[in-house]
Amino acid sequence: MNASTRPNYYEIRQLPPFANPALVIAAYRILSKLYHPDTAKEEADLEKFRLLQEAYDVLNDPKKRLDYDSELRLSAPSAQHETVPGFQSYN
């Protein structure tokens, strides 16, 4: 799956593209509590939690993140990324 066919992981995580690894982990911990079935105060949103976990898996791994960032740069002029319903954009 390339960056033009998957959601923008930075938007999902509510992070700037230059976020350091500690911020990536902190954002995951905070957001996972909102959507995880065991900790959500309201009805858990399993799809949002799945996307959050997918974003964490990519952005927390230096090699995967580098590949993902490269895909974003390559697709930026010609394609817009999916907007994920329920997640606000960082911009």
Side-chain angles (χ1 to χ4, degrees):
M1 183 184 309
N2 64 33
S4 65
T5 60
R6 62 181 163 188
N8 186 311
Y9 292 146
Y10 292 105
E11 287 182 8
I12 291 170
R13 300 293 298 284
Q14 300 177 14
L15 294 170
F18 51 83
N20 65 39
L23 191 55
V24 169
I25 293 169
Y28 173 75
R29 288 181 179 163
I30 291 168
L31 293 172
S32 67
K33 289 178 183 177
L34 295 175
Y35 302 116
H36 192 281
D38 295 336
T39 59
K41 291 183 180 181
E42 296 181 14
E43 186 175 326
D45 190 329
L46 297 178
E47 180 62 16
K48 285 183 184 178
F49 183 74
R50 184 194 64 76
L51 285 170
L52 180 66
Q53 182 64 48
E54 185 180 309
Y56 177 78
D57 291 342
V58 170
L59 298 181
N60 197 48
D61 180 293
K63 168 96 172 80
K64 289 180 184 178
R65 185 174 180 176
L66 184 62
D67 292 343
Y68 177 72
D69 288 345
S70 295
E71 290 174 9
L72 281 178
R73 281 191 297 277
L74 289 174
S75 67
S78 61
Q80 294 294 322
H81 302 287
E82 288 180 39
T83 300
V84 180
F87 290 101
Q88 66 186 34
S89 173
Y90 175 73
N91 296 332

